[in-house]
Amino acid sequence: MQNFRSASSILRRFMQNSRFVSKSRSFCGVSTNALIDEPENTVVVEGKAYSRTAILNRPHVLNAINCSTVARLMKLYKNWEDDPDIGFVVLKGGDRAFSAGGDVVTLYYLLKQGNFQGCKEFCWTIYSFIYVVGTYLKPHVALLNGITMGGGAGISIPGTFRVATEKTMFATPETLIGYHPDAGASFYLSRLPGYLGEYLALTGDKMSGAEMVSCGLATHYSHSAKLPLIEEQLGKLITDDPSVIERSLENCGDIAHPDPASVLHRIGILDRCFSHDTVEEIIDALESEAAKKQDAWCVATLRKLQETSPLSLKVSLRSIRQGRLQTLDQCLRREYRMSLQALSGQISNDFCEGVRSRLVDRDLAPKWDPPSLEKVTDDMVDQYFSRLTASESELELPTQQREAFT
């Protein structure tokens, strides 16, 4: 575990110093009107002495993120960043989840209604907000108590501090619905130790709070019973100094040890298998290890990969590999192109089929197209990374005003 402690330290410094020098696996299904909630209701604000707390307030759908949520957050964050009487920002979820991610069921229904423009607007809005979080000029604290998936991870992990608890459950399960890890996932997953990011992206496997802090996805770990105390102490701070905020979080911190069955204890075999250049080679390596050692982890991992979209596997692997060499803004722009391709159905209807199978009809029997890895062509994967049309606008991010970290 020493390598993971070192990696966690490196990732934490990386996230901070760029801005401050001084059964079936779980998804969230939402209602068809989820993109049009009243903005004022989707995020509740608490004012403290020198900080503000934004509370995601859609508990009936595990705080799934929609356009109203992100528009409200964007407005609040920009106002707070310009306010000299606010030193830092806290983000948390109401009730039992931080956020189950984006409204994929609503996107599904929008597509069925022919409203592709609504899907584009959602992607544009949330990716733009993630860039604001990742380049925020004030310290940012995310309290990740409960489910933290997909877009929920996207709006929190790029920030300064991420506090996990024993109730935290992280995942990027998009390949299970014929999609790809997005919302900045190709940036932060690609910077995890070894090839852990590839494993999480392809399998959609879950991580606990203890695992998150051990590998660097979270910066701190505390028992959930201490969260009221953490919030109370943060609320009393009169500072914009991240080191002061960090000391406050550390005062309430607890030691976290990943479960003996954690994938973090299998990092050697994980790296041997997931370091390969293609999905086919990764599967061959897993099958070889399983045959040689009768390794149950390899068998379970192969079973997870079999549940996913073959096209999504190939696309997601390339995305993580490209993310290793790209800045946050470059990853978000590329993910925007990828998302429009996935949602448009020009290459494949796997997104709609995956959502239908897991969240609408719930038959858990998706009919992927292409149905196997050997039928996924290089041209399909190449197209996934290109603009939808020659005239399609790229995601516009304020990189001249807000420098992205690398």
Side-chain angles (χ1 to χ4, degrees), residues 47-52 75-89 136-139 239-240:
K48 303 297 172 69
Y50 203 63
S51 65
R52 294 294 182 272
K75 180 179 179 181
L76 290 170
Y77 273 51
K78 288 185 174 180
N79 288 341
W80 293 340
E81 192 173 53
D82 294 336
D83 190 335
D85 294 326
I86 296 175
F88 64 96
V89 172
Y136 208 57
L137 300 180
K138 296 179 178 181
T239 187
D240 60 1

Side-chain angles (χ1 to χ4, degrees), residues 194-233:
Y195 294 89
L196 178 62
E198 280 86 342
Y199 168 79
L200 294 173
L202 269 59
T203 64
D205 200 10
K206 299 185 288 288
M207 297 198 89
S208 68
E211 289 174 311
M212 287 186 73
V213 76
S214 295
C215 73
L217 284 169
T219 58
H220 296 80
Y221 180 91
S222 296
H223 293 302
S224 59
K226 290 185 178 179
L227 287 178
L229 177 60
I230 291 174
E231 294 186 64
E232 179 184 352
Q233 292 188 353

Side-chain angles (χ1 to χ4, degrees), residues 104-181:
V104 294
V105 170
T106 298
L107 294 178
Y108 168 87
Y109 282 116
L110 287 176
L111 291 172
K112 290 299 182 183
Q113 295 162 8
N115 188 359
F116 181 62
Q117 185 62 32
C119 297
K120 287 174 60 176
E121 290 173 1
F122 173 72
C123 293
W124 185 288
T125 305
I126 190 170
Y127 293 176
S128 297
F129 178 67
I130 289 166
Y131 186 73
V132 168
V133 173
T135 57
Y136 208 57
L137 300 180
K138 296 179 178 181
H140 186 270
V141 182
L143 303 178
L144 308 179
N145 191 43
I147 293 172
T148 305
M149 294 170 59
I155 65 171
S156 56
I157 289 178
T160 325
F161 304 111
R162 290 88 62 198
V163 181
T165 75
E166 81 284 357
K167 294 182 179 180
T168 305
M169 192 277 283
F170 165 87
T172 52
E174 288 83 359
T175 58
L176 289 158
I177 55 168
Y179 203 54
H180 55 274

Side-chain angles (χ1 to χ4, degrees), residues 131-367:
Y131 186 73
V132 168
V133 173
T135 57
Y136 208 57
L137 300 180
K138 296 179 178 181
H140 186 270
V141 182
L143 303 178
L144 308 179
N145 191 43
I147 293 172
T148 305
M149 294 170 59
I155 65 171
S156 56
I157 289 178
T160 325
F161 304 111
R162 290 88 62 198
V163 181
T165 75
E166 81 284 357
K167 294 182 179 180
T168 305
M169 192 277 283
F170 165 87
T172 52
E174 288 83 359
T175 58
L176 289 158
I177 55 168
Y179 203 54
H180 55 274
D182 70 325
S186 67
F187 180 80
Y188 64 78
L189 289 180
S190 65
R191 283 155 176 79
L192 295 181
Y195 294 89
L196 178 62
E198 280 86 342
Y199 168 79
L200 294 173
L202 269 59
T203 64
D205 200 10
K206 299 185 288 288
M207 297 198 89
S208 68
E211 289 174 311
M212 287 186 73
V213 76
S214 295
C215 73
L217 284 169
T219 58
H220 296 80
Y221 180 91
S222 296
H223 293 302
S224 59
K226 290 185 178 179
L227 287 178
L229 177 60
I230 291 174
E231 294 186 64
E232 179 184 352
Q233 292 188 353
L234 288 174
K236 294 177 180 178
L237 295 180
I238 310 294
T239 187
D240 60 1
D241 186 341
S243 65
V244 174
I245 297 167
E246 182 166 27
R247 283 195 296 274
S248 179
L249 295 174
E250 289 174 346
N251 288 338
C252 294
D254 294 296
I255 301 298
H257 297 291
D259 187 271
S262 169
V263 68
L264 300 186
H265 298 302
R266 312 303 302 272
I267 196 64
I269 191 171
L270 183 153
D271 282 353
R272 286 198 301 275
C273 294
F274 282 83
S275 60
H276 290 285
D277 293 335
T278 68
V279 177
E280 290 90 342
E281 290 172 327
I282 289 172
I283 289 174
D284 287 345
L286 287 165
E287 289 176 342
S288 176
E289 293 282 352
K292 285 189 301 186
K293 302 179 180 179
Q294 300 297 305
D295 191 289
W297 178 82
C298 290
V299 173
T301 301
L302 286 166
R303 189 177 303 115
K304 290 170 186 173
L305 293 175
Q306 289 169 357
E307 297 178 21
T308 64
S309 155
L311 177 60
S312 291
L313 287 179
K314 290 200 172 187
V315 164
S316 298
L317 180 61
R318 182 184 291 190
S319 179
I320 300 301
R321 294 288 162 82
Q322 290 190 4
R324 289 176 177 266
L325 305 174
Q326 294 178 327
T327 58
L328 175 63
D329 61 296
Q330 291 171 333
C331 286
L332 289 169
R333 286 195 185 95
R334 173 177 44 74
E335 290 175 1
Y336 179 73
R337 292 195 299 271
M338 296 169 63
S339 294
L340 296 196
Q341 289 285 4
L343 295 169
S344 73
Q346 288 188 5
I347 307 170
S348 168
N349 284 314
D350 275 3
F351 171 76
C352 282
E353 175 62 9
V355 174
R356 179 207 64 77
S357 171
R358 289 209 168 249
L359 298 172
V360 180
D361 296 338
R362 299 179 183 268
D363 57 25
L364 303 182
K367 294 178 175 59

Side-chain angles (χ1 to χ4, degrees), residues 20-32:
F20 301 105
V21 178
S22 64
K23 301 138 185 174
S24 73
R25 278 173 269 177
S26 175
F27 290 89
C28 182
V30 297
S31 62
T32 58

